[in-house]
Amino acid sequence: MKCKLFFIAVIQIFALSVATAQEALKYQLPPAEIVKIVDAPQIPLVSVSPDKTSIVLVERPGIITIKELSAEEYRIAGLRINPATSGPSRQTFNLGFKIMNIDGTNIREIGGMPQDARLGVPVWSTDGKKFAFSNTKQSSIELWVCDVATLTASKVADDINMVFGNSFRGSGGSFNWLSDNKSIVYCVRAPGMEEKPERSLTPEGPVVQENLGKRGQVSTYQDLLQNPTDEMIFEYYAMSQMMLWDGTKSVKLGKPGMITDVSPSPDGLYLMTTIIKRPFSYIVPFNSFPSSIQIRDLQGNVVKVLLDKPLIENNPRDYDAVLPGPRSFSWRSDRPSTVCWVEALDGGDFKKEMQYHDQVYTLSAPFTATPEKFIATEKRFAGFTWGKEDCALIYEGSSKTRIFITSSFNPNDPLKVKTKVFEYNTDNSYDNPGRFVTELNI
């Protein structure tokens, strides 16, 4: 009798444990006090207008939601894409905007804002009269503009392509104001694309990679392409159409392409674009794929091809080593439409004994002349801060010695001796003098 009772008791305990294990558990909320702390309103971010008369208060959410974290995500070519929106995955969006005076008074609401807003950052026009922003919906991204004077927001475009995130220079996403303070250049999903490629569980053949017999060290990257289907998926989402909104309507600029970057010239008459081309690679991310850096006019016509860059799978790994040829293209912000870039005088090998290792070149519109030598650096070139006609700053340094130098020079006579402003070792943070504070002067 005791054995039967024991056997029955064991069966009941086992059945109870099985039933407990099979219960569908859900995410639980902590006590109300903790929920109140987590969901408490965040301190807003601020964005000051270029004319320093207005401030946008950016209302932020508490934490990213489980729904947003569990959304479908493609990890390809070094990108993490939300396939539903053609934008970056797992983003934290802003909840709303308010405008106040620069002295902190007169906080105003903005009319016409999108419902259930999931907003990007405000991107000001140069005159501070308007700002643009993105709004992400469940299946697309919209472009909006707010007029500060009238406190009204209006939608400019649907289906913005923001796969490459914040790659547009000087912007808050895949759009940029032109210098006329009314026009915006942006990219949308390429129209007429074929049906989205789908991954198959059954491969059609092996993945073949070819070794061309060159030795070199290969860096380790994550989220790379792995097969031909990944290539088609990447091309599907990377393909976009460049558009120009003139304040009232939008027009197409050129043909669709895999556009990763658009940078307007200071006078707003030209666009410097970077377009990816095939063949792709399975061992490096998209920014090492073949690409073409071009200057286009506002009709989308190619005015000048600055560089056709090949596929780069073997970057130099030595200290201060760079690839030979042009690099670091940018506009001179103190000139209407002058592009500058740098080339290594040492062939990319910094170990060579020579006084100057990098040479900066410039080329002005209409971009038909021979590029002019501008200024040379004894260390690796690290950038400019453009000022007035007779004053600019140039940065150079060495990753091996950790020494970086800031110098001033006269852009009208760049061949004269530079004046060293300061020099410091990046390993010694206490000696870092910081950055210059600048403001628009045009």
Side-chain angles (χ1 to χ4, degrees):
M1 188 66 179
K2 290 182 179 180
C3 292
K4 290 181 179 180
L5 288 175
F6 176 75
F7 181 67
I8 292 172
V10 170
I11 291 176
Q12 290 176 336
I13 293 172
F14 177 75
L16 180 62
S17 65
V18 171
T20 302
Q22 291 178 343
E23 287 182 3
L25 295 178
K26 297 183 178 181
Y27 289 110
Q28 306 295 308
L29 288 176
E33 293 80 3
I34 297 179
V35 173
K36 189 179 296 185
I37 294 174
V38 173
D39 290 342
Q42 301 289 305
I43 297 175
L45 298 176
V46 296
S47 178
V48 180
S49 64
D51 62 358
K52 296 181 174 58
T53 62
S54 303
I55 294 176
V56 172
L57 300 175
V58 182
E59 300 175 22
R60 301 182 295 155
I63 56 176
I64 192 170
T65 65
I66 294 175
K67 181 180 179 180
E68 292 168 331
L69 283 173
S70 59
E72 186 179 10
E73 179 185 55
Y74 284 168
R75 300 186 176 193
I76 49 177
L79 297 169
R80 298 189 178 186
I81 300 170
N82 182 336
T85 63
S86 289
S89 62
R90 301 190 178 185
Q91 280 190 302
T92 299
F93 301 101
N94 300 308
L95 302 176
F97 300 138
K98 294 180 181 179
I99 298 178
M100 71 178 182
N101 295 341
I102 193 69
D103 60 3
T105 62
N106 194 19
I107 298 177
R108 291 100 73 194
E109 301 285 343
I110 300 173
M113 292 289 289
Q115 298 294 320
D116 302 319
R118 301 165 72 202
L119 309 176
V121 297
V123 181
W124 288 96
S125 59
T126 305
D127 61 1
K129 306 298 183 184
K130 298 176 182 178
F131 63 87
F133 58 93
S134 64
N135 178 50
T136 300
K137 303 180 72 175
Q138 293 301 319
S139 59
S140 66
I141 302 176
E142 303 170 333
L143 175 61
W144 287 66
V145 168
C146 174
D147 188 301
V148 176
T150 62
L151 295 175
T152 55
S154 57
K155 185 169 69 172
V156 170
D158 289 300
D159 288 329
I160 304 299
N161 191 335
M162 296 183 66
V163 162
F164 294 103
N166 298 332
S167 61
F168 277 34
R169 302 177 196 174
S171 75
S174 298
F175 50 89
N176 256 324
W177 287 96
L178 300 190
S179 57
D180 62 3
N181 295 304
K182 67 176 184 179
S183 303
I184 298 177
V185 60
Y186 61 96
C187 285
V188 298
R189 296 173 179 174
M193 289 291 290
E194 298 178 359
E195 187 176 347
K196 184 184 73 172
E198 298 289 347
R199 288 191 172 103
S200 173
L201 297 178
T202 305
E204 296 181 355
V207 176
V208 179
Q209 298 187 47
E210 183 180 6
N211 189 320
L212 299 179
K214 295 181 180 180
R215 298 180 61 184
Q217 297 174 309
V218 179
S219 301
T220 301
Y221 302 98
Q222 57 184 349
D223 307 330
L224 300 177
L225 300 176
Q226 299 182 21
N227 50 56
T229 303
D230 279 359
E231 292 186 48
M232 291 187 292
I233 291 174
F234 169 73
E235 189 168 25
Y236 177 86
Y237 285 103
M239 191 69 68
S240 60
Q241 172 66 57
M242 189 162 56
M243 307 288 293
L244 178 67
W245 181 67
D246 63 3
T248 56
K249 65 182 186 304
S250 293
V251 295
K252 295 181 181 179
L253 298 181
K255 298 179 180 179
M258 289 180 281
I259 304 170
T260 66
D261 184 84
V262 177
S263 175
S265 62
D267 61 3
L269 299 180
Y270 298 95
L271 304 169
M272 184 170 13
T273 63
T274 302
I275 301 176
I276 288 177
K277 302 181 293 184
R278 284 180 175 269
F280 302 145
S281 171
Y282 294 177
I283 62 175
V284 291
F286 76 91
N287 50 15
S288 292
F289 293 172
S291 62
S292 179
I293 301 176
Q294 307 169 350
I295 295 179
R296 297 170 178 254
D297 60 23
L298 294 188
Q299 287 72 49
N301 303 311
V302 177
V303 176
K304 175 74 174 180
V305 176
L306 295 172
L307 177 67
D308 278 322
K309 188 177 72 173
L311 174 65
I312 301 172
E313 292 186 320
N314 187 17
N315 276 301
R317 301 295 300 273
D318 290 337
Y319 284 113
D320 303 306
V322 296
L323 289 168
R327 68 183 196 276
S328 302
F329 288 89
S330 63
W331 294 106
R332 279 188 61 173
S333 60
D334 64 337
R335 292 289 186 271
S337 49
T338 297
V339 65
C340 62
W341 67 91
V342 63
E343 297 185 27
L345 297 173
D346 53 21
D349 184 3
F350 196 78
K351 295 192 296 293
K352 290 183 179 179
E353 295 291 337
M354 51 199 313
Q355 181 179 4
Y356 296 105
H357 286 270
D358 276 347
Q359 175 69 56
V360 178
Y361 292 86
T362 62
L363 182 63
S364 299
F367 312 107
T368 56
T370 301
E372 296 181 357
K373 289 185 177 182
F374 184 62
I375 193 170
T377 60
E378 297 182 11
K379 300 184 183 299
R380 281 286 177 243
F381 170 81
F384 286 115
T385 295
W386 301 104
K388 299 179 180 179
E389 286 189 358
D390 60 349
C391 181
L393 300 174
I394 186 170
Y395 307 94
E396 56 186 295
S398 167
S399 59
K400 182 176 182 178
T401 63
R402 306 294 196 271
I403 297 298
F404 279 78
I405 299 171
T406 298
S407 303
S408 64
F409 70 101
N410 184 349
N412 291 322
D413 194 1
L415 299 181
K416 281 189 175 181
V417 178
K418 302 189 297 288
T419 302
K420 185 184 296 185
V421 180
F422 45 72
E423 174 181 330
Y424 70 98
N425 189 308
T426 57
D427 286 343
N428 187 352
S429 299
Y430 292 103
D431 285 345
N432 189 337
R435 297 175 296 175
F436 287 91
V437 177
T438 62
E439 63 179 27
L440 294 174
N441 55 19
I442 56 172

